[in-house]
Amino acid sequence: MQKVGFFKSIHVKIVLIYILLILLAMQIIGLYFARELEHTLKKSFTDSIEQRVDLVEFSVRTEITKQRGEEDPSLEQSLRTVLYSIQSEDINEISVIDNNFRILATSETNNQSIVGQRSTETLVRQSISSETPFNNIRLDRQKKDRIWVLASPIIFQGEVLGTIYLESNIETVFDQMTEINQILAGGTAMSLAITVILGILIAQTITRPISDMRRQAQAMAKGNFSRKVRVYGNDEIGQLAIAFNHLTNRLQEAQSTTEGERRKLASVLSNMTDGVIATDRKGRIILINDPALRLLRVPRELVLHRPISSALGIESQYVFEDLIHMKESINLDFSSPERPYILRANFSVIQKETGFVNGLITVLHDNTEQEKIDMERREFVANVSHELRTPLTTMRSYLEALADGAWEDKELAPSFLNVTQTETERMIRLVNDLLQLSKMDSREYDLNKEFVEFNKFFNRIIDRFEMSKSQQVHFVRNLPESQYFVEIDTDKLTQVIDNIISNALKYSPDGGNIRFGIIVHDGLLKVMVSDDGMGIPKENVERIFDRFYRVDRARARSMGGSGLGLAIAREMIESHGGAIWAESEEGNGTTIFFTLPFELDEAGEWD
């Protein structure tokens, strides 16, 4: 390859760019210099004023502490003389104020009326109170110029005699800086103009061939390998253009070879039901099929070239090296409070014959339903075991006591036998409920439906509970006079209402009310049973229809509940084409609602 000439070398061009950068740096230094100069001018100005204030302070302190005779001038005259002596163009006004904030003298001839008045300046009060000088820059309300204000305390033998309040014209400092900034701005503008012109001229010699190569790269991305890059010179850029054209020819040959293999691989991946992800040897994703994108619920652009542990959300548990040696599948939990979502990931290493790791293949499968079934199975077995263990443990204890001789005690034996009988009946109820739920799950039951007038049907059930209740609970009925006919299995619906009213009686206090109501809502018959019990926490209301769920487990078991009644009720209501739900507020009772399709007696049409 021919050697590149000196003046054609890109190094020379880079040197020129550095020169331009240096010019720009000089401008930055100039701005820094202007800022430091402004600080210096302001410091010199304030130091000059403070030195004169120190002289004034000495003279004022002498006049205030001096013993005056009858022939001596008054303190006000003496102070005025001192203040007049230091007047200059840069000092607008200087005043002397005693420790009671009373103005003793001022240098402003037209402002002598303030002598003897109390000063309201904040800096004056701060200076006297803290015994330290205070200064500030503020705007003159009349001239609209900036002034520097200083309040310096007068201290004699550890006692604050007052303060010297001074207003100086610092606007002259800013005027000087404005002139300097204008000069710097002019120089900067000229430098920038020259820099831009030179930059454009030099950049064109570099960017023109690079632009051609960019256009060629875009054409290659679209599959067009016929276009060639123009060679403008024999420098490094020209050599790069020649190499680029050679690369284009090689890519054209390789592209035709790989296209067939790519199509085969794309066909396999797109027709797979499982998600597939491939990484490079550093663990970055280089390939992902559409099923994997759907399972991960992310766009392709978001996961490509990202670490696989990050894309799978397991970067806190595993690194890429851990996944390479992973023999077992792992579960990826993307569940939300609304719904579960679990994926199973299997990993396989891509290796050469030498053992060098080229990457990793990950296969994703939606495992949500299987995990949900396994979890429900485990929870169901645990709940059934727990519910059966409690009565069995109680029965074993009492039977052991009877076997040890308690059966001979005429007072204890009947009580022990009664407990074992109660626990036996409890287990029978639990088993019957489980069998009934099993039939409902497998749909191995028939509904013996018939048309009944719901008001009479509902009233009969309420009457039965009202006559048999043992506690002082009042039943309040808000039932309409209209007749509503429903097609129901009376036995199963009686079981539903019995369960709801039984729960209301269990949790209602003595003297409380249980209210019953029926309304027509959205074309359905809406039935309500409400109590004044302890209520249900808001976060638990939606779960009371789950199997074996109890808000207060200890109290529910002591009252004989199995946690299956409302689950059975929901299955039965839904099998009748209705819905059941609860509304409750902790401490204010609970209301159970359920709906049923109905028919009016008079019209014989659906409402």
Coordinates of all heavy atoms in Angstrom, one line a residue, residues 10 34 81 154 207 317 466 489 515:
I10 N -3.8 12.7 7.6 CA -4.9 13.1 8.5 C -4.3 13.7 9.8 O -5.0 14.4 10.5 CB -5.8 11.9 8.8 CG1 -7.1 12.4 9.4 CG2 -5.2 10.9 9.7 CD1 -8.2 11.4 9.5
A34 N -11.9 37.6 32.9 CA -12.9 38.7 33.1 C -13.6 38.5 34.4 O -13.8 39.4 35.2 CB -13.9 38.7 32.0
T81 N -18.5 67.1 61.1 CA -17.2 67.5 60.6 C -16.4 66.3 60.2 O -15.7 66.3 59.1 CB -16.5 68.3 61.7 OG1 -17.3 69.4 62.0 CG2 -15.1 68.8 61.1
I154 N -19.2 50.3 66.1 CA -18.3 51.1 66.8 C -18.1 50.4 68.2 O -19.1 50.5 69.0 CB -18.7 52.5 66.9 CG1 -19.0 53.1 65.5 CG2 -17.7 53.4 67.6 CD1 -19.6 54.4 65.5
T207 N -15.2 14.9 6.1 CA -16.5 14.3 6.1 C -17.1 13.9 4.8 O -18.0 13.1 4.7 CB -17.5 15.4 6.7 OG1 -17.4 16.6 5.9 CG2 -17.1 15.8 8.1
Q317 N -29.7 -12.2 41.3 CA -29.5 -13.6 41.8 C -28.4 -14.3 41.0 O -27.6 -15.1 41.6 CB -30.8 -14.4 41.7 CG -31.9 -14.0 42.6 CD -32.8 -13.0 41.9 OE1 -32.7 -12.8 40.7 NE2 -33.7 -12.4 42.7
E466 N -85.9 -17.0 62.2 CA -86.4 -16.1 63.3 C -87.0 -16.8 64.4 O -86.9 -16.4 65.6 CB -87.4 -15.1 62.6 CG -87.8 -13.9 63.5 CD -88.6 -12.9 62.8 OE1 -89.2 -13.2 61.8 OE2 -88.6 -11.7 63.2
D489 N -82.9 -24.2 41.7 CA -82.9 -25.4 42.5 C -83.1 -25.0 43.9 O -82.2 -24.5 44.6 CB -81.6 -26.2 42.3 CG -81.6 -27.5 42.9 OD1 -82.2 -27.7 44.0 OD2 -81.0 -28.5 42.4
R515 N -80.6 -7.3 58.4 CA -81.6 -6.7 57.4 C -81.6 -7.5 56.1 O -80.5 -8.0 55.7 CB -81.1 -5.2 57.1 CG -81.3 -4.3 58.3 CD -80.6 -3.0 58.1 NE -79.2 -3.1 58.0 CZ -78.4 -3.2 59.1 NH1 -79.0 -3.1 60.3 NH2 -77.1 -3.3 59.0

